[in-house]
Amino acid sequence: MLRNLQTSHGFNNNDTNDDDGGDGDGETAGNGKNMLARKLSTKGDTLYLERRVGLFSGVALIVGTMIGSGIFVSPTGLLIRTGSIGLSFVIWAACGAMSLLGALAYAELGTMNPSSGAEYAYLMDAFGPMPAFLFSWISTLILKPSQVAIICLSFAKYAVEAFVDECGSSDFVVKIVAVLSILIITYINCYSVNLATGVQNAFTAAKLVAVFVVVAGGVYKIIQGRTEHFRNYFENTTTSMGDVATAFYSGLWAYDGWNNLNYVTEEIKNPSKNIPKAIYISIPLVTMCYLLVNVAYLTIMSPDEIVRNEAVAVTFGIRALGSIAWVIPLSITISTFGSANGTLFAAGRLCFAASREGHLMHVLSYIHIKKLTPMPSIIFHSIITIVMVASGTINSLIDFFSFTAWIFYGSAMLALLVMRYTRPDVPRPYKVPIIIPLTIFVISLYLVVAPIIDKPQVEYLYSVMFMIAGMIFYVPFVRLGYKFRIIDRWTVIIQLLLQVAPTKLVLPE
C-alpha cells in the first residue's frame, strides 16, 4: 500500500522549512543545482512537484493559453458592442495593457508567495481561509472547467467543419469531438509535465505561424490598396457604459490566460526572474498579434460583414488565401487545442493547491509517485468539464466566466494592496509601483458593476448565488472539519488505483 506522507499546509513566504534544506531531503546539491526531479519516491523521501518549467515554456504557457479561439471569435462580439472599429481597436489595445499590468502585479504576488494556486494562495495570505475557499470553490467547480469547455467546444466546432459539407455539423458530433479532445489533453497532462509543456511549446509555435499567415495576408491586401474599411473610425460608437464593459468582456476573454503562470509557480525554474521575464515577452507579443490580425480582417471584410459573420477567420481565409484557405480552420484547431492543454495544466494546479490546504478533498492534492503529476486534480477537472460540454454552449458560458473571473482578479489586486501594509517586510524579489494594482482594481470594479447596472443578466445572479452556496458549504465542511466516512475509503481506493501520494510544499531558495 502507498505510504501516507505528511502534507504541508503552509503558503506564506515566512515558512522556514528548516528541516527540509541541504542534504537532508535532496532538494539541492552542494553546487546549488536543483535536485527536485526524481523518478520515484523512496523510503524517507517526500514527494514534490518538480521545477521543470523554464522561461521558454513559461512564455509558451502564457501565449499558448491566451491565443486560443478568442481572436477568431471575439472580433464579432466586440464590434457589435462598441459600434465602431475605432473604439474596438482602443478596447483591443486597452485589454492588452490591462493584461500586462495585471500580470505584472501577479508577478509581485507570485514571487512573494511562490506556491501554486495563484489567486487562491494570495487571498489566503491577505484575507484568510473563507475568501480563498470561495475562490477555489467557484474556480474548481465553475470557472476553470467552463473555460476549458468553451475552448474545447470551439476546437471541436472548427475541427468538425473541416470534414462536413455546407449543411454544417450537428451539435452532438461537435460535443463528442470536444469530449475526445478533453480526454486526450487529460492523458497528456497526467502522463508527464515534460510532455504537457512540450505539447504546449509545439502548438504555441504553430499558432504563431498561423497568426503570421493571417497578418501577411492582410499586409498583402493593404499593399494592393484595400484600405476602404479604415475610414470613419468612430462612426456609430456606442455611448452605453454597459456596452463598453461587456465589450471589454469579449476582448478580455481573448486575452484570458495572462495569469496562468502563477498557477504553476512551484514548477517554474527560478520564478523570481522567469515570471516577470515571461510576462514582458508574452503579453506584448499577444497584443501585437491581436491588433495586426484585426487589421488583416478589415482589409477583407467591412465592419458590417464582421458583425454578421460568426467565423470571421474562416471567411478571411477563403477571400485572402484562396486555394490554401484550409490553413485557417487547421490553425484554429491547433490554436484551441494548445490553449485547452495549457488551461487544464494550470487548472489542475489550482485544485491541487486548494486541496492541500484542506479546502477540497485531500486526495486531490496527491501526485503520482513516479510521474510527479497532480493526476487526481486533473482528472477531477476533466470530469466537470465533460459535464459542461455535454450540457452547455459557448455563448452561455463566456459572459458568466468573464463577470465572475474579474471579481477575483480585482480581489487579487486588493490582496496585493492590503499586504503592502500588513506584510511590508515580506521579501518581494519583484515589486511593481502601487498605482498598477490600484488601477486594475478600479477597472475590475467597473467591469463588475457597470453591466449589472446597465444590462443585468441572469448569469450574474448565478455567480452570486454560487458564492452564497459556497459560504454555506464552508462552515460545516471546512470551518468545522466535518467529513463523510466514505471519503477515507475513496481516498485509499484512488491512491491504489492511480498510484498517488501526498506532497509537501517546497519554497525556492
Side-chain angles (χ1 to χ4, degrees):
M1 179 178 291
L2 299 177
R3 55 191 174 82
N4 285 320
L5 301 171
Q6 183 64 36
T7 305
S8 170
H9 302 295
F11 281 92
N12 297 333
N13 213 24
N14 55 2
D15 292 343
T16 59
N17 277 335
D18 289 337
D19 59 341
D20 294 326
D23 296 330
D25 67 348
E27 180 187 346
T28 57
N31 58 5
K33 182 179 179 181
N34 192 312
M35 299 295 290
L36 293 177
R38 45 171 65 99
K39 295 300 181 184
L40 50 85
S41 60
T42 58
K43 186 175 181 180
D45 280 348
T46 303
L47 291 177
Y48 307 102
L49 288 174
E50 296 180 358
R51 295 192 179 275
R52 289 182 284 187
V53 181
L55 177 61
F56 183 82
S57 294
V59 171
L61 179 62
I62 297 176
V63 174
T65 50
M66 289 178 72
I67 302 179
S69 62
I71 189 57
F72 307 109
V73 175
S74 294
T76 298
L78 198 150
L79 196 54
I80 290 173
R81 290 164 173 172
T82 58
S84 69
I85 61 173
L87 184 56
S88 71
F89 271 86
V90 169
I91 290 182
W92 276 114
C95 289
M98 284 179 57
S99 300
L100 177 60
L101 295 179
L104 292 175
Y106 269 57
E108 176 177 330
L109 289 166
T111 55
M112 181 177 66
N113 182 341
S115 60
S116 294
E119 293 93 346
Y120 175 81
Y122 314 145
L123 294 176
M124 175 70 75
D125 276 349
F127 306 120
M130 177 173 273
F133 169 78
L134 289 178
F135 173 76
S136 65
W137 164 265
I138 293 178
S139 292
T140 301
L141 298 181
I142 297 293
L143 281 184
K144 290 300 180 182
S146 68
Q147 188 178 15
V148 179
I150 293 167
I151 297 169
C152 288
L153 283 169
S154 299
F155 163 82
K157 182 178 178 61
Y158 282 98
V160 170
E161 284 182 354
F163 299 97
V164 298
D165 56 21
E166 293 82 1
C167 296
S169 56
S170 69
D171 288 340
F172 176 76
V173 174
V174 169
K175 289 185 176 183
I176 290 295
V177 174
V179 169
L180 290 175
S181 68
I182 294 169
L183 294 176
I184 292 171
I185 62 174
T186 299
Y187 175 79
I188 291 171
N189 281 271
C190 287
Y191 184 79
S192 168
V193 172
N194 288 337
L195 177 60
T197 56
V199 168
Q200 193 67 24
N201 295 347
F203 277 70
T204 299
K207 71 178 64 180
L208 288 177
V209 171
V211 168
F212 175 78
V213 170
V214 173
V215 172
V219 170
Y220 178 72
K221 291 298 180 181
I222 290 176
I223 294 173
Q224 289 183 325
R226 297 293 301 273
T227 59
E228 63 272 16
H229 299 147
F230 295 95
R231 300 166 186 165
N232 302 319
Y233 295 131
F234 290 96
E235 186 178 1
N236 299 321
T237 297
T238 183
T239 57
S240 168
M241 299 295 287
D243 283 341
V244 173
T246 52
F248 268 101
Y249 282 175
S250 292
L252 290 169
W253 162 250
Y255 281 97
D256 200 77
W258 53 264
N259 62 330
N260 272 349
L261 207 57
N262 290 67
Y263 286 100
V264 299
T265 310
E266 290 177 42
E267 296 168 81
I268 299 172
K269 301 173 183 177
N270 197 0
S272 63
K273 293 183 178 179
N274 282 336
I275 290 178
K277 285 181 180 179
I279 290 167
Y280 279 119
I281 295 171
S282 57
I283 297 180
L285 174 62
V286 172
T287 303
M288 185 62 65
C289 288
Y290 283 0
L291 291 173
L292 292 176
V293 167
N294 276 279
V295 169
Y297 289 158
L298 287 165
T299 64
I300 297 295
M301 291 172 282
S302 68
D304 288 339
E305 286 180 301
I306 293 176
V307 166
R308 295 193 302 267
N309 199 323
E310 292 184 356
V312 178
V314 174
T315 302
F316 172 87
I318 293 172
R319 296 185 183 180
L321 303 180
S323 61
I324 61 169
W326 54 268
V327 169
I328 297 299
L330 176 63
S331 301
I332 295 172
T333 56
I334 290 173
S335 180
T336 49
F337 186 86
S339 183
N341 177 73
T343 302
L344 184 64
F345 184 89
R349 274 64 183 175
L350 167 62
C351 184
F352 164 85
S355 302
R356 186 171 53 188
E357 186 65 24
H359 286 178
L360 297 170
M361 292 184 296
H362 276 295
V363 72
L364 297 179
S365 69
Y366 292 8
I367 67 175
H368 195 276
I369 60 173
K370 294 183 179 180
K371 302 181 186 302
L372 301 183
T373 57
M375 192 176 291
S377 63
I378 292 171
I379 294 174
F380 180 72
H381 261 290
S382 299
I383 292 172
I384 299 176
T385 301
I386 289 172
V387 172
M388 287 191 168
V389 164
S391 59
T393 62
I394 295 174
N395 293 332
S396 65
L397 295 172
I398 288 181
D399 280 349
F400 172 80
F401 171 85
S402 299
F403 173 80
T404 310
W406 276 94
I407 292 176
F408 290 109
Y409 293 161
S411 299
M413 297 300 107
L414 184 60
L416 191 155
L417 294 170
V418 168
M419 287 191 288
R420 283 286 184 94
Y421 293 96
T422 59
R423 301 187 179 187
D425 299 326
V426 172
R428 290 171 169 83
Y430 180 84
K431 189 174 182 180
V432 296
I434 198 168
I435 189 64
I436 290 180
L438 183 61
T439 299
I440 300 300
F441 175 70
V442 172
I443 292 174
S444 67
L445 283 180
Y446 166 74
L447 291 175
V448 170
V449 174
I452 295 177
I453 295 175
D454 191 73
K455 291 183 178 179
Q457 298 182 36
V458 69
E459 286 85 0
Y460 308 151
L461 178 61
Y462 290 158
S463 176
V464 174
M465 291 176 62
F466 208 78
M467 290 182 192
I468 294 174
M471 293 180 187
I472 295 173
F473 273 82
Y474 173 80
V475 174
F477 296 107
V478 178
R479 183 72 177 177
L480 300 180
Y482 176 81
K483 66 177 181 179
F484 297 103
R485 293 181 180 179
I486 195 173
I487 296 296
D488 290 334
R489 295 181 182 178
W490 273 108
T491 298
V492 173
I493 293 173
I494 293 173
Q495 278 193 276
L496 294 173
L497 183 64
L498 300 181
Q499 296 185 5
V500 294
T503 63
K504 188 169 184 179
L505 174 64
V506 175
L507 300 175
E509 304 227 347

